Amino acid sequence: MATAQDVVAGRLRSRGRPAFDTERIVPVLLILPSVVLIALFVYFFIGYTGFVSLTAWRGIIPDYTLVGLQQYQQLAELERFQADIHNTIVFTVLFLAASIVLGFSAALLLDQRLKGAILFQNIFLFPLAISFVVTGTVWRWIWNPTNGLNVLFERAGLGFIKLDWLTSTETALYALVVAAVWQMSGFCMAMFLAGLRSIPEELREAAHVDGASWLQTLRYIILPLLNPILLAAIIILGHISLKIFDLVFVMTFGGPGFATDMPGLHMFIATFRQNLYARGAAIATVLLLMVAVLIVPYLIWTNREERRS
Amino acid sequence: MSAAAIAPPVRRRRRGLRAGRAVLYLLLLLLAVFYLLPVYVVVVTSLKSFIEVSNSTPWDLPTAPTLAAYGDALAKLGRGFFNSALLVVPATLGSALLGSLNGYVLSKWRFRGSNLIFTLLLFGMFIPYQSVLIPVVNTLEQIGLYGGIPGLILVHVVYGIPITTLIFRNYYAAVPTELIEAARVDGSSVLGIYRHIIFPLSVPAFVVVLIWQFTSIWNEFLFGVTIASDPDQQPITVALQGLAGSLLAQYQIQMAGSLLTALPPLIIYIALGRYFIRGLLAGALKG
């Protein structure tokens, strides 16, 4: 059966195609400014950064002498960069695990149709609206060994868990993770809650009628259905974690030593504080590649899913 | 099976839930304590005097609450607040408008390769901005926009395009194509359809996008700290960081400043949280 669209298309076709087809050109003209801006500011600039990473540029005046992969070789041997990679991996794993566990637990609790759930939901989500700079400023106080949580622990008779937190190389990274989890775990919660709410009630009831316990329903019905959401949450939070900059800048500036240094911060310091432009560009390129490994398959997957539906 | 036959287990289940309800609330409260802890710190500390902040009872309520710290914070951050407002309004509007046009074309006037263009645009919202920062600074220097707000506006408009395009495209995809076709038959042009049909339908999408962009740009730090080299043109996040560095032990001012910095996005979140969450999930969930 011919749809209205076919009829319209047919009529337009029978009219014959005009020499200057505005319906084909105007749409292209409309998105052209954005396409040009993104081509320049994303793709050309990424290429330019990649090019700079192959040069010997240090100092304020550009030096485009090509030195091949020398910057990358130096980075691989640089203690600070090794610390960056180690910290990024530890931070990302802990941050993801904690955000997912906390976010999923909160989502499960909020999905129980309790009175006042919406108030709790708003409390769990508000940190997402706040700048990392604010989060960092406040959590720096909380982790301050002399006037933060330590004081509270001591008063509660828990003096034995007093630690140096942000000022110790042992604990600073974990203190940073807690602040990041405080800020971002609500994102996981929102994702999982949206997922839980999209599961038809009949499915749970059917499982219940079949004698499945709450835990079994969770394990065999709900969790498998939430897998795509888990994957999306890991990718979105994972790439945010790899790029982390503001929070580290404010809370520790990479210290003590390099205990909390991250590629994003190292790039900034190398480039704009030490004028090691080529090194900064190399760090940026490595960081981009790490993010791309996570994001590109996700984009392709989303694109394919969409075309299928 | 009759309704009576399934009634007993349901009743038993409900009783079990009621016993469990207290536990659920307890867990929710525990979580709430974690998320509200920094709020307590900010409010309590910011209401203290410097003398009280320096003593050894940092978690106690202020004995003599004062708004002095807010006066100090405003004096230090007022300029940054104004700068951020000056920056966020045009940058938000600009990126929303471009995103709306892109979303319209990429959902309703698809052409060969438009899907690829869309995916290539999307990639731009995930990149670490460090990977474009050196050429961004160079380019802004060359066109005379380095150092302050005009350069930041340009950068935020450009890097806002991917997310705004995504939100509008997904929103317009739900607008029936028949509407467009009917208008076409009536002789409406591509732009005419946008102006008279699509744009008036876009209010909810604009709300989501404007809120999202406002919040992101207000909270942004990397571009701010790199591009705003002129201290008089710093956005508030950069000013807050500077304040914390220069007034190391003046925690009452730091906390008042934190609240001041967080206030505009917080007000929006409290008033329009539903739309904020939609923007939040837009990058992860389709449709």
Side-chain angles (χ1 to χ4, degrees), chain A residues 121-122 124-131 183-184 186-187 190, chain B residues 163 167 204 207-217 219 264-283:
Chain A
Q121 185 182 322
N122 285 331
F124 302 160
L125 281 173
F126 89 90
L128 288 160
I130 287 171
S131 171
Q183 170 127 40
M184 296 302 301
F187 176 76
Chain B
I163 181 77
I167 296 174
V207 174
V208 172
V209 164
L210 292 177
I211 286 175
W212 182 255
Q213 284 299 93
F214 180 94
T215 309
S216 312
I217 298 169
N219 290 341
L266 264 187
I267 289 172
I268 288 182
Y269 173 74
I270 290 165
L272 297 158
R274 208 154 46 90
Y275 295 97
F276 173 78
I277 294 164
R278 251 191 254 170
L280 182 72
L281 297 179

Side-chain angles (χ1 to χ4, degrees), chain B residues 80-93:
Chain B
F81 195 97
F82 177 73
N83 288 341
S84 279
L86 214 60
L87 151 70
V88 80
V89 172
T92 300
L93 290 175

Side-chain angles (χ1 to χ4, degrees), chain B:
Chain B
M1 201 191 290
S2 73
I6 37 170
V10 169
R11 200 178 298 153
R12 201 185 312 140
R13 184 170 164 234
R14 201 172 283 160
R15 200 178 302 147
L17 262 182
R18 198 166 295 163
R21 195 160 290 178
V23 179
L24 295 180
Y25 273 117
L26 192 71
L27 290 170
L28 280 171
L29 272 175
L30 274 177
L31 280 173
V33 167
F34 172 60
Y35 289 103
L36 290 176
L37 181 80
V39 178
Y40 177 83
V41 167
V42 165
V43 172
V44 166
T45 312
S46 67
L47 292 174
K48 289 179 177 173
S49 65
F50 178 56
I51 295 163
E52 202 177 348
V53 156
S54 322
N55 71 19
S56 60
T57 53
W59 292 87
D60 288 5
L61 293 171
T63 47
T66 164
L67 290 174
Y70 286 91
D72 293 338
L74 209 58
K76 295 272 181 192
L77 296 179
R79 185 68 195 242
F81 195 97
F82 177 73
N83 288 341
S84 279
L86 214 60
L87 151 70
V88 80
V89 172
T92 300
L93 290 175
S95 59
L97 203 65
L98 285 174
S100 172
L101 286 173
N102 297 339
Y104 170 55
V105 169
L106 293 172
S107 65
K108 295 299 175 216
W109 297 97
R110 296 194 191 188
F111 48 88
R112 192 199 299 242
S114 64
N115 247 345
L116 179 67
I117 287 183
F118 178 59
T119 306
L120 288 173
L121 283 184
L122 278 194
F123 181 64
M125 84 189 206
F126 296 108
I127 61 164
Y129 294 129
Q130 280 87 348
S131 66
V132 292
L133 213 47
I134 294 171
V136 160
V137 168
N138 286 357
T139 307
L140 291 180
E141 272 173 344
Q142 272 165 22
I143 58 178
L145 292 182
Y146 178 74
I149 295 166
L152 282 174
I153 292 174
L154 174 68
V155 165
H156 283 301
V157 167
V158 172
Y159 293 110
I161 289 172
I163 181 77
T164 59
T165 301
L166 171 71
I167 296 174
F168 277 112
R169 196 196 80 130
N170 287 348
Y171 179 77
Y172 293 147
V175 174
T177 308
E178 286 78 11
L179 270 180
I180 314 282
E181 297 296 351
R184 267 174 84 181
V185 174
D186 291 344
S188 293
S189 65
V190 174
L191 263 177
I193 295 172
Y194 177 75
R195 268 192 57 194
H196 300 296
I197 298 178
I198 295 291
F199 188 77
L201 284 173
S202 306
V203 176
F206 265 103
V207 174
V208 172
V209 164
L210 292 177
I211 286 175
W212 182 255
Q213 284 299 93
F214 180 94
T215 309
S216 312
I217 298 169
W218 185 276
N219 290 341
E220 203 275 338
F221 181 68
L222 175 59
F223 283 135
V225 76
T226 316
I227 292 168
S229 56
D230 175 358
D232 285 339
Q233 297 196 51
Q234 282 174 348
I236 192 162
T237 49
V238 179
L240 175 67
Q241 160 58 20
L243 174 149
S246 62
L247 299 170
L248 225 43
Q250 304 258 15
Y251 288 114
Q252 80 287 11
I253 305 181
Q254 289 186 28
M255 295 306 155
S258 293
L259 189 67
L260 196 65
T261 308
L263 206 57
L266 264 187
I267 289 172
I268 288 182
Y269 173 74
I270 290 165
L272 297 158
R274 208 154 46 90
Y275 295 97
F276 173 78
I277 294 164
R278 251 191 254 170
L280 182 72
L281 297 179
L285 300 175
K286 293 152 282 164

Side-chain angles (χ1 to χ4, degrees), chain A residues 196-214:
Chain A
L196 285 171
R197 299 239 159 107
S198 73
I199 295 174
E201 192 57 34
E202 297 84 64
L203 220 55
R204 301 181 212 209
E205 261 160 36
H208 180 70
V209 168
D210 286 348
S213 70
W214 181 81

